[in-house]
Amino acid sequence: MASPDGFPASFYGEPGVLGMLSNGISAFLVLLQNFHTAHTGSAPAGVANILAGVHLILIGGVCQLFAGMLSFRKYDHLSGTAFIGYAALWGSYGATRIYFGASSEAPTIVPLPAQIMNNLSMSTNMTGNTSLEIPVCHVCLSIKETAIAGLIPYILLSFLLAFCSATVNYIMPFVFGAITATLVFEAVGLVASSWALVVSGILELLILIFAIYGSAALLSKGLTQRLVLKGFGTPLFNVLLLGTTNSGSAQRIGQEKKKNTKYAEPMAVGFFCDTVAPFIFAFYSFGYIKSFGVGVAWVSIITVAQLFSSYYAHLRQDCYHTTKFGLHATYWLIKAWGEFVVSALVLEDGKVASAREAMVGNWFFVMAGVVICIGSLNTDVLELIHNMLFVLLTLSTIPQIPLQGYYIFFGVACSLFTAASLYGTFSRLINTIAEKSLIPVGPQPISSEMLMKAFRCCRANQGDQEMLPQTDQGSDALFYISNGVAALSALHARSSSMNPTFLHLTVPWVLISGSIIQGYVSRLQVTGGGRFGSVIPTIYVAVWATWTWFRFSGILLQLSPEAAYGFTAGAIALLVINAFLMLIAAYRNLVLLFLTAVMEVVLVCFLLSTLQRLPYDFEIAMLAIFSIICIYGALASLVNCIFSHRLLPMGPPLIKEKVRQESVPELPCPVAYSRVTSGLMKIAGLLEEGQVCGIPTDTVYALAASCKNPQAIEKIYNIKDRPAEKPICICISNVEQLVAAKPPFSPLLWEFMRNVYPGGISCIVSKGDWLFKLGVGPAYDRVGTKESIMIRVPDHTVTGHLCDITGPLAITSANPSGEPDSTHHTMVINRLGHKIQGVLCDGDSNEVVASTVVNCLKIDEGTITIVREGCVPAVKVRQIFDRVKNNML
């Protein structure tokens, strides 16, 4: 379905409708339980709580997560962060309700055999009686304490979201503010009387009302393309968005190559998750939470949200944040399930301490944290401090620390990390909304030039620093990290293999990093577009899963010899498959080849272990070498990807692919490339001859015709099957061309244009004789309407140079009328190449939607109208106009 002006209506989808309704319905579900508890004096129990929890997970969690994902694709920083954050909140609160229901259904005393009591090593007076009073659901202990520990960080973060949303509109602040107040009284209601639940229920009713109104306003806006109901388009206050953009700050970061701006920035979500997880761990470390059975659900859910922040950083071609948030998610998930094992098995402190002393996997997190610190030297001070605190965090969980000081050190480190993450959430969110540095994050610690010079010293061949291909690089560092953690965690001596506590505690370390996180990495590799895709990480998922099942779980389950022979066959199969992986790695680089070669030896050790012939010392050496290769691979991949150059050597491919000389299929139209002057001149010549060509702009690709050739403009209508009543705009290179034509514009209109040009905004102004001076003379009757004309000044060097050569161009989006826009030159060639006379190729477009169209015909009356919302949000256009208008007063 296309909108009236031909713009695809699918781009106007409003995920905010789904997000706010998810919050409203979830609040309503909790409201019903709160009012029932206040009225009857008894809390819901059993199935009622379980069903409520399932609904909260599905509606408030899954549905709102989907809304957050759509918001990121819509380049909506605030909604993407808020909806994914609240999805984690409602999912965690739903899981807590399920725990409440399960614990109320469970009996409190069960008979246990004497053997199990001996295995648990629990002290009791056994005088012939083989039963013991213990909680059946030990993991369900400390439910209220865990819920309070989880709600407090969400209260702080929800307040920040409410504050930030006030700079965008005045509906979301009320929704998010009501959620903040509700969470306060929900936490109080867990420890106080029913009055807190009544207050919470009233606030939840307000959430529902605000959410319904906000959803109706957004839905009507999406359907009608205008603001029918008030609440969106005007911020509650815009003090934070006043001032001038700090362009120097915007270009400060050396790694900021051409990012994919089709997705919102996920940094705020990553810091959001880094606030919740350590806060819960701090409460656990200081003894407020006695069991981590419920805490593991809260941390696991927020970890999923952090993986989404890593994923969208990958889509934005931001390898640094892809690796950082992926590493943090791995760490939180492993620590959570490690503490869950301790809680679920009711392990004694002495056994836990002795088992942890043999574990060395945490040291890889320390080294990986240092690698991220090195990468953050190219960003800002906030990132560096945050990463240094993460290194402190990993040092606090070194298993060799005595248990008496282990949790105190960990709790203090978590507290510091939480404070830094909270500030990071606020600064990243405000700065991305404002698109300038309002909240200080500090300068770049070391200049990019100095860093590159330092890394060049590590190379033997100073001249071999070619550009990297932009495929697979963003996830390579995380691939090495996940394998390194798994390998170092799997390292153990012969004596440890017979320690059940050690085996239990090691399972999460190897399984989560080697299989679960590496499965996520394989998904990233698929989107990377590399030649071999996700083959290697996918196979290694199976390797580490099989390793965990046999080497750790298998011993605990006491597998039979017949089952062990099954693993022997599997080990042989993995050896053969890994040999092919070595061949694939030979096409990539030497580091990956060495990694797969060492993995082949490690798999030989695994095969020998299935035959009870394992040389433990040799296996320890191989796993240590494998981990060393992984840490170097992570460092080199991250540094090389950040700077887009091979600064740290990875080694050349051992096997170089021979380029086949194949006949290139004949293209339907001539093509030229924007990176060469001859290509630009070729397209300019075609336009001067009266031809129609596809050209890049700062938004999407466009069809262009010279205003000197009116017949060419008529061709555009036939090429696109565009209705004759739809006008075509003109494109010029800069505002100074307008100044030279001396149009009778008011000072307010001139100032507004200078603030929006060049950029993704098109202004509709009155027609006049000044167009002849601009160079539009012959095409005067064929562009715009009888009274008005739309003017574009793209923020694109190629388009600007083209207009300087040819004069004003008549342009419209390069797509058949009613179909989605073209975001790559191949789309223009495939869809319209047989109808046009040339295409200027420039790769991916900067946006996925066209420009925002603003009607300025009544600007002197103090009003503008958003005709079409495109790549620049309508709220931002109105903020610019309000600022200009206020400055003119």
Side-chain angles (χ1 to χ4, degrees), residues 73 260 263 310-318 322 470-476 519-535 537-538 844:
R73 294 179 180 272
N260 188 341
Y263 304 95
S310 172
Y311 176 70
Y312 281 107
H314 175 75
L315 294 181
R316 287 175 56 87
Q317 302 169 13
D318 184 354
T322 301
Q470 292 186 356
T471 57
D472 281 4
Q473 298 299 321
S475 56
D476 280 352
Y520 162 71
V521 173
S522 69
R523 176 66 181 89
L524 299 186
Q525 295 278 353
V526 169
T527 61
R531 179 183 175 191
F532 298 108
S534 61
V535 175
T538 301
D844 287 318

Side-chain angles (χ1 to χ4, degrees), residues 653-666:
L654 198 63
I655 302 176
K656 294 185 178 180
E657 181 182 8
K658 294 182 179 179
V659 180
R660 297 180 181 178
Q661 297 293 333
E662 296 181 354
S663 58
V664 180
E666 184 178 353

Side-chain angles (χ1 to χ4, degrees), residues 722-771:
R722 185 178 178 87
E725 64 272 11
K726 292 184 178 181
I728 289 179
C729 72
I730 63 170
C731 171
I732 59 178
S733 60
N734 56 68
V735 180
E736 300 308 317
Q737 286 185 323
L738 278 178
V739 175
K742 297 181 180 180
F745 294 164
S746 66
L748 179 59
L749 178 55
W750 277 118
E751 190 63 24
F752 179 68
M753 284 184 166
R754 292 186 186 279
N755 276 268
V756 300
Y757 288 154
I761 296 177
S762 303
C763 294
I764 299 176
V765 298
S766 298
K767 257 186 173 182
D769 293 340
W770 57 273
L771 285 170

Side-chain angles (χ1 to χ4, degrees), residues 78 209 339 539 610 616:
L78 175 65
I209 295 172
E339 296 300 336
I539 298 301
T610 63
Y616 275 92

